[in-house]
Amino acid sequence: MAKSKRSSKQPKTRARKVRRKAKAKPGLSPKIVSYAVYPALGVARVGNAPVEYFMAPEAPGVLPNPDGDVPGREPSWHPGWKDAQGRIKRQACRFRVYGLDAKGRAVAEVTAEHAQIEWRVHVAARKAAWYMFNNAMDLGDYAKESLMRNAGIARDKLAITPPICSISGASTNASGRERQYRMRGRIMGTQSVTLGELRTDDAGRLVVLGGSGDAASFTDYLNPITTFANNEGWYDDIADGPVRATIRLANGETHEAEPAVVVTTPPNYGPGLLGVVTMYDVCRDLFYREGVGGGEPLPRPERPSFTDDIYPIFERLSRTQWVNQGFFMLFGDGSPASFNDPERIARLAKLGDTPAQRRQNARARATVFAWFRDPNSSKAKPAKIPPFYGDAFGDFSGLPNDELAVTATQYAFLRQWAAGDFERDWRGRRRPRPLSTLAVSAQPEALDRAHLEDILGGPFHPGIEITWTMRRASMWKAPYRLELLPEGEQPSDDYGPILRPEQCLGEDGPLQANGPGSLTRWMGTPWQTDSASCLSGYDASYYLPLPSFWAARIPNEVLSRFGYERSADTKLTEAQRQRHFSLRAYWLRDLAPDGNARRQDMVANWWKLGVVAPRPAPRGKANLSDSRVVWIETGRNAQYTKDDPTRRQIIAAERRVGPALDGQGKADSHLDGPKHAPPEGEDARSVPIAKRRRRYTREDR
């Protein structure tokens, strides 16, 4: 009987052994013939928060969630663009591998579930070893030659060039504490500089984090800050370089994916706000006009879509109201030219149902189109829009590119729209779709577009992220994918003591292929000095503080958090709420007032400035906003707001003196401010209503 029992259990034992076998990796589609890394150009951003970070946008219009990688929240009401100590979080860039079919279409995303992926990243910071910025070298007769930065010092001592950094597996270096995944180099052979680190997520995708925003003098003495772009003896940790991936399949096959590029840029102080001209617009215009990499130009749509090609230009003009007072007056909520007005947009989006409506709508379209600056004009048109400075500003006067124009493609689309030749597809603003909800075949394009739209497309003087070199066809291997040097090869930093425009643009110049540090070396050094210099409204005699440079990334005038909270107080009169809502504060008001002192202050205190982030629009009888979302200044350092007597004055006027003069309220001699305030660091939405009414000296964070 005992033998019989053992015999009866044997099949179960074998079954358990079968279940314990390692699960085979799922197979990939046989349609896959090649592999590629996406996004082809990914954007990380510096920040000095040592632990917390968030992912870069991964689909057009989907705002990142700074409190965690939760897709699909648009817009984000989270306050967490900074950590609890007020330090700016880094924006990480996530790269993926896709398997492509014979026509180059994505068939599947390849993850650690399918294969072993070895990632290799080779970044560098070359600003100190490059040439000075004077102006864009593709401006023809107006382009200027450039001298070397830090002349007399060997170029290899000035370029910060960490070795290639590799990583593989899932959830590798999840804590960020493993030193072998940090990208470290040296300047002058002695000073160590960290340009970022690598991690992988739980699917084996690559996560690249940039540096901490550091800038310093590399000499034995502190070189003074003297200019916006070319400060001798200085370096920063802005960097870029190739991203490569090797895929090892379960059957032993090994494949190299088409490589990508990561670029680390300064922080985005206006998350969710896009330039009227984005880098995606600049690149799309190039690829429609010229073939790259030996290919034909991309086919341009026969007619523009109002929803996808026309309305975004209008929306960006109106959204810039949250970072510039002049835009608020021209295109802001309540303005006759506000593009947030649903009725106005409805008229612009259709031809009209009756002959009278068609004539009226045609006049409206023609009037709006006539306001835009023609990019092919031979004359300066300073009263045209968009009201931004141009590539030639500051070097010459009276040139057509003293002010920024939309791209030739955008202008052609606007012309067709004005003539009534457009797709009448308006059903309201297109709702952004998170990457995970898109078909696999659509994900690579979404990744490319999301990252390029998050970069400003001008003005390039030199720019705040990357610059004019992106509009040169020689830079590209294929649409949206840059031409790269062979793996491990460094670009040259020495084209002689002077770099001339004709040499720069020539076949032997620096624009023929890209390597570690090629994209960011053209930018101002350090990045903080340019951010504190290129602002808006340089002519104080103008009625409006216009033109602007890079307001969507480096704000000019903002709605403070205190002003937002006062405008939301329904106990105030509608007129007083409107005053608070319309009052704009100078974003750099906490730094030294002007010149090199302000630039030096920015180097030390860049992380203390506020981030202009979306919040729900105030509600009430007053029609304060035409939209559901407003952008307000958040995270402003408490040291700048704790001793503001004017806040106590306005509270006294609104809560005590005013009601008393009207014969209402009780006598109150405590006019220095309320007796109670919410705990430090507490967010408005977490404070009970009864306590919110006493939040009048709350720090404007």
Side-chain angles (χ1 to χ4, degrees):
M1 293 293 293
K3 185 175 181 180
S4 174
K5 286 182 179 179
R6 285 195 300 270
S7 176
S8 66
K9 290 182 179 180
Q10 284 177 357
K12 292 184 178 180
T13 302
R14 286 195 298 271
R16 282 197 297 270
K17 288 181 179 179
V18 170
R19 285 196 295 269
R20 287 173 183 168
K21 286 183 179 179
K23 185 178 179 181
K25 291 182 181 292
L28 290 168
S29 170
K31 295 181 180 180
I32 294 176
V33 299
S34 63
Y35 299 85
V37 178
Y38 286 93
L41 191 151
V43 182
R45 295 183 184 272
V46 300
N48 63 338
V51 176
E52 298 178 56
Y53 66 93
F54 60 92
M55 291 294 177
E58 295 191 314
V62 179
L63 187 69
N65 181 356
D67 290 331
D69 188 23
V70 180
R73 292 185 180 175
E74 197 280 330
S76 169
W77 308 130
H78 297 271
W81 301 99
K82 296 187 176 185
D83 67 7
Q85 286 71 44
R87 297 168 296 193
I88 290 182
K89 296 179 184 179
R90 287 179 290 176
Q91 175 178 294
C93 180
R94 178 160 48 195
F95 289 92
R96 304 163 187 253
V97 172
Y98 285 88
L100 311 179
D101 65 15
K103 294 184 178 180
R105 295 175 300 198
V107 175
E109 183 188 354
V110 183
T111 67
E113 185 181 14
H114 308 100
Q116 180 186 359
I117 304 174
E118 180 195 48
W119 296 95
R120 303 183 305 283
V121 181
H122 198 187
V123 299
R126 319 189 81 90
K127 290 183 185 180
W130 194 233
Y131 292 82
M132 295 184 180
F133 173 80
N134 288 319
N135 66 4
M137 287 195 168
D138 63 348
L139 295 182
D141 293 340
Y142 301 102
K144 295 182 176 182
E145 60 188 28
S146 294
L147 298 173
M148 279 184 168
R149 288 174 177 154
N150 304 298
I153 302 176
R155 302 292 96 181
D156 59 353
K157 288 188 176 182
L158 295 167
I160 305 169
T161 55
I164 296 173
C165 191
S166 301
I167 193 170
S168 61
S171 301
T172 304
N173 192 30
S175 67
R177 297 175 181 173
E178 299 180 50
R179 294 190 175 187
Q180 67 265 37
Y181 301 116
R182 295 177 186 172
M183 298 176 286
R184 284 180 171 172
R186 294 184 180 276
I187 189 165
M188 299 301 291
T190 56
Q191 297 183 36
S192 178
V193 183
T194 300
L195 301 183
E197 65 190 72
L198 305 184
R199 307 185 188 192
T200 61
D201 69 6
D202 57 4
R205 305 179 186 104
L206 174 67
V207 177
V208 182
L209 289 96
S212 57
D214 288 342
S217 172
F218 57 76
T219 60
D220 293 334
Y221 53 90
L222 180 63
N223 284 64
I225 293 292
T226 60
T227 181
F228 74 100
N230 303 305
N231 289 287
E232 296 288 87
W234 280 80
Y235 72 92
D236 61 29
D237 56 2
I238 299 297
D240 66 273
V243 174
R244 291 181 164 87
T246 300
I247 299 97
R248 295 183 175 88
L249 302 177
N251 62 7
E253 292 182 4
T254 299
H255 300 271
E256 287 296 319
E258 192 69 34
V261 169
V262 64
V263 57
T264 302
T265 73
N268 181 354
Y269 290 101
L273 299 176
L274 302 182
V276 176
V277 180
T278 70
M279 191 60 78
Y280 177 78
D281 296 318
V282 170
C283 294
R284 182 176 65 158
D285 177 67
L286 169 66
F287 303 144
Y288 283 163
R289 291 184 293 103
E290 299 184 43
V292 296
E296 295 294 321
L298 290 180
R300 202 182 84 177
E302 182 179 344
R303 59 179 58 88
S305 157
F306 183 85
T307 303
D308 296 328
D309 298 313
I310 304 301
Y311 174 73
I313 299 173
F314 299 157
E315 180 185 57
R316 295 168 192 172
L317 283 167
S318 281
R319 282 192 170 183
T320 307
Q321 68 175 298
W322 307 116
V323 284
N324 179 275
Q325 178 80 33
F327 275 81
F328 175 61
M329 291 292 291
L330 291 176
F331 311 107
D333 294 340
S335 164
S338 169
F339 293 112
N340 282 338
D341 186 332
E343 294 183 4
R344 184 170 296 122
I345 290 298
R347 287 197 303 273
L348 297 176
K350 63 182 182 180
L351 296 182
D353 299 326
T354 66
Q357 286 179 347
R358 286 193 286 272
R359 288 193 297 271
Q360 183 182 28
N361 291 355
R363 284 196 299 270
R365 293 195 305 273
T367 300
V368 172
F369 171 68
W371 201 9
F372 279 88
R373 189 173 293 112
D374 184 348
N376 296 314
S377 174
S378 60
K379 297 181 180 179
K381 301 285 186 179
K384 299 283 188 178
I385 63 171
F388 292 103
Y389 293 113
D391 292 359
F393 174 77
D395 300 312
F396 305 95
S397 60
L399 295 183
N401 49 5
D402 281 350
E403 291 84 27
L404 182 72
V406 295
T407 68
T409 297
Q410 287 177 305
Y411 193 76
F413 282 162
L414 286 166
R415 185 193 299 276
Q416 284 183 267
W417 163 76
D421 182 21
F422 65 99
E423 298 292 343
R424 296 179 288 280
D425 54 2
W426 181 247
R427 301 292 184 273
R429 182 178 183 270
R430 196 177 297 283
R431 186 176 181 83
R433 294 183 59 188
L435 188 73
S436 60
T437 68
L438 300 177
V440 170
S441 59
Q443 290 180 10
E445 181 182 356
L447 286 164
D448 283 345
R449 181 167 184 167
H451 282 262
L452 288 172
E453 280 189 339
D454 207 40
I455 303 173
L456 298 186
F460 296 135
H461 198 270
I464 198 60
E465 291 146 329
I466 46 182
T467 191
W468 62 271
T469 58
M470 299 289 285
R471 64 191 178 202
R472 303 301 302 178
S474 62
M475 292 279 287
W476 299 92
K477 178 180 181 180
Y480 307 108
R481 194 170 295 275
L482 290 160
E483 184 73 62
L484 296 180
L485 294 169
E487 184 169 7
E489 185 174 331
Q490 296 282 352
S492 174
D493 292 314
D494 191 349
Y495 289 84
I498 300 175
L499 180 63
R500 294 180 170 84
E502 60 273 16
Q503 180 186 17
C504 177
L505 304 179
E507 293 184 359
D508 297 326
L511 304 183
Q512 300 304 307
N514 300 277
S518 290
L519 299 181
T520 54
R521 61 183 174 180
W522 302 88
M523 312 310 294
T525 182
W527 67 266
Q528 294 94 334
T529 57
D530 205 7
S531 299
S533 301
C534 295
L535 306 172
S536 68
Y538 292 161
D539 192 330
S541 68
Y542 287 5
Y543 180 63
L544 298 177
L546 291 171
S548 175
F549 262 103
W550 308 308
R553 293 293 164 270
I554 304 297
N556 306 139
E557 296 87 26
V558 297
L559 173 59
S560 72
R561 179 165 179 169
F562 182 78
Y564 168 73
E565 291 173 349
R566 303 308 300 137
S567 70
D569 189 341
T570 56
K571 289 190 174 182
L572 299 181
T573 65
E574 299 304 314
Q576 186 70 349
R577 293 180 64 201
Q578 184 68 61
R579 291 188 188 97
H580 281 296
F581 187 76
S582 300
L583 183 63
R584 297 293 186 264
Y586 182 50
W587 183 66
L588 291 176
R589 61 195 180 279
D590 300 316
L591 303 185
D594 48 39
N596 292 326
R598 182 180 65 236
R599 297 178 181 124
Q600 187 75 57
D601 213 359
M602 183 72 169
V603 171
N605 297 308
W606 59 272
W607 57 276
K608 297 179 181 179
L609 300 173
V611 175
V612 182
R615 291 291 185 270
R619 293 304 177 194
K621 294 181 181 179
N623 185 22
L624 299 180
S625 176
D626 294 332
S627 60
R628 297 183 301 107
V629 183
V630 301
W631 267 256
I632 72 166
E633 182 186 47
T634 66
R636 184 179 172 216
N637 195 276
Q639 79 176 77
Y640 299 135
T641 62
K642 62 184 179 181
D643 295 320
D644 184 350
T646 64
R647 295 192 185 193
R648 297 194 294 273
Q649 289 171 341
I650 196 68
I651 295 302
E654 293 173 350
R655 291 299 193 192
R656 296 179 176 86
V657 177
L661 292 175
D662 289 337
Q664 303 173 7
K666 299 179 180 179
D668 193 343
S669 60
H670 300 286
L671 298 184
D672 282 339
K675 299 178 182 178
H676 304 284
E680 188 70 23
E682 191 172 46
D683 185 72
R685 291 169 293 111
S686 66
V687 181
I689 295 295
K691 291 177 67 179
R692 288 189 209 176
R693 294 171 184 161
R694 297 180 178 273
R695 297 181 70 251
Y696 309 132
T697 58
R698 167 69 195 278
E699 308 301 341
D700 192 7
R701 299 178 64 82

